[in-house]
Amino acid sequence: MLEVKKAAELLLDSTFAIAFTGAGISTASGIPDFRGPQGLWKRYSPELASIDYFRKDPKGFWEFYSFRMRSLFNAEPNRAHYALAELERMGVIKYVITQNIDGLHRKAGSMRVIELHGTMLESYCTSCFKRYDSREVLKMIDRGELPPRCSCGGIIRPDVVLFGEPVKDIEYALTIAQESDAVLVVGSSLTVYPANLVPQVVKQNGGKLIIVNLEETPMDDFADLVIRGKAEEIVPAILDAVKELVSNN
Ligand code: APR
C-alpha cells in the first residue's frame, strides 16, 4: 500500500515523532468506541460519564461504569498497540499520547505513555484519596456495595477524567507536541477538546500530520496523509514498512 510506505517515510524523516490515539485503536480489542457506528454515545448519554452525574447519582454512575470496567479488564492489546510499542523501541515513536483509559498501550509494552483522560484500572476515595485497584472495587460492587465506599466512608471513583473535569497532563502533552515534527493519529474522531489540540499543535508548528482512521475527521483536510482503514491492519503494516526501509538503508 503506497500510503503505508509514505507514512513510514514521514516517520523515518522525522526526528521526534509521536503517536496520538483514541478509542478506535482499541475496538479490535473488544472495547467499543464512542462515536463510531456502534459507539457508546450512540447507545448511552455522555451525561453518564460526567462529574455532575457522579455527584448526583453515584449508584447509577457505578452501574454504568462497572459494566464498562468489566469489559476493559477482559481486553488484551491488539496488533496496533504492539506495533506502536515496537516503533517506540526502535526509536521511531518517542511518546504515545492517548485519550484511552484502558491501559492497553502499557500492557503492550509502550513505556512513554501520557493518559490524558486517566486510567480505568485505578480508583480512589473522594474523601481521603486512598487509591484502589479497580478490580478490588468491582469485587465490592459484586458484594452489593453500590456505590463502593472506602474504609473511611468516602465514595470511591475511577481515576478517569469525567466530562466537566480538567484533562490530565495537558500542559505536558502540549509541550511534547511543540517538540514534535510528526504525529501519527490512530483511531480518533479528533472531536474532543482539549485533547485534540495535540495533533493541531504539531501541525501548526510545521510538523507532519498522519491520520489513520475508519471514518473522516475534522482534521483530514489539514493532514499530510490520511489512511482510511483499520488501525489493527494499518499500524502493523506501517511498522513493517519502517523495518523494510531501515533494512534497505
Ligand atoms: N481502526 C481505525 N479507526 C477506528 C477503528 C479501527 N478498528 N474503530 C473505530 N475507529 C474510528 C471511528 O470511526 C472513530 O472515528 O475511531 C474513531 C473513534 O472516535 P471516538 O469514538 O470519538 O473516540 P475518541 O476520539 O477516542 O473520543 C475522545 O471522547 O467520550 C470521550 O473520553 C472519551 O477519550 C474519549 C474522547
Side-chain angles (χ1 to χ4, degrees):
M1 205 181 172
L2 271 180
E3 296 161 318
V4 162
K5 187 167 186 289
K6 174 107 168 70
E9 287 162 350
L10 287 172
L11 290 175
L12 286 171
D13 289 347
S14 71
T15 54
F16 195 106
I18 61 174
F20 178 82
T21 67
I25 198 171
S26 296
T27 51
S29 298
I31 300 172
D33 66 9
F34 298 96
R35 296 171 188 83
Q38 309 303 321
L40 218 51
W41 300 149
K42 295 276 195 314
R43 292 174 279 153
Y44 300 93
S45 159
E47 160 73 18
L48 287 169
S50 70
I51 184 63
D52 290 344
Y53 184 59
F54 172 77
R55 288 183 180 131
K56 189 172 63 181
D57 179 6
K59 186 173 180 295
F61 173 91
W62 270 108
E63 279 164 352
F64 173 66
Y65 247 87
S66 54
F67 138 74
R68 287 196 62 205
M69 250 182 200
R70 290 182 211 287
S71 67
L72 291 188
F73 280 116
N74 300 328
E76 289 298 325
N78 63 61
R79 295 173 66 226
H81 296 103
Y82 287 115
L84 287 184
E86 188 163 350
L87 284 167
E88 180 186 340
R89 282 192 293 275
M90 293 174 74
V92 175
I93 294 281
K94 308 295 184 200
Y95 280 88
V96 174
I97 298 176
T98 187
Q99 302 169 94
N100 300 340
I101 57 176
D102 55 35
L104 293 182
H105 284 299
R106 284 207 171 86
K107 211 169 181 181
S110 288
M111 303 297 280
R112 287 192 284 186
V113 180
I114 297 174
E115 293 171 314
L116 294 174
H117 294 163
T119 174
M120 184 86 95
L121 306 182
E122 293 180 32
S123 297
Y124 64 89
C125 171
T126 52
S127 298
C128 71
F129 299 99
K130 178 182 173 189
R131 297 195 68 81
Y132 288 82
D133 180 320
S134 295
R135 277 167 292 211
E136 291 312 305
V137 179
L138 285 179
K139 285 181 188 153
M140 291 178 190
I141 292 170
D142 290 343
R143 291 196 297 269
E145 212 175 315
L146 205 57
R149 287 185 181 273
C150 175
S151 42
C152 81
I155 295 178
I156 297 170
R157 59 163 287 176
D159 191 11
V160 297
V161 175
L162 299 172
F163 283 117
E165 292 188 307
V167 164
K168 292 175 184 281
D169 297 332
I170 191 67
E171 291 79 15
Y172 179 37
L174 293 177
T175 305
I176 288 169
Q178 298 269 5
E179 299 293 317
S180 305
D181 57 356
V183 55
L184 175 63
V185 173
V186 184
S188 179
S189 62
L190 295 176
T191 53
V192 171
Y193 177 88
N196 62 3
L197 287 177
V198 170
Q200 286 177 44
V201 162
V202 177
K203 184 63 187 163
Q204 279 158 5
N205 281 4
K208 298 297 182 198
L209 171 58
I210 307 160
I211 299 176
V212 175
N213 206 54
L214 268 181
E215 294 171 285
E216 282 185 16
T217 81
M219 292 190 69
D220 286 358
D221 293 345
F222 314 115
D224 296 274
L225 177 63
V226 175
I227 307 180
R228 193 69 65 228
K230 292 183 177 177
E232 61 273 22
E233 293 168 4
I234 303 290
V235 183
I238 292 173
L239 169 65
D240 291 343
V242 163
K243 287 178 175 175
E244 194 170 332
L245 288 168
V246 167
S247 63
N248 293 345
N249 276 353

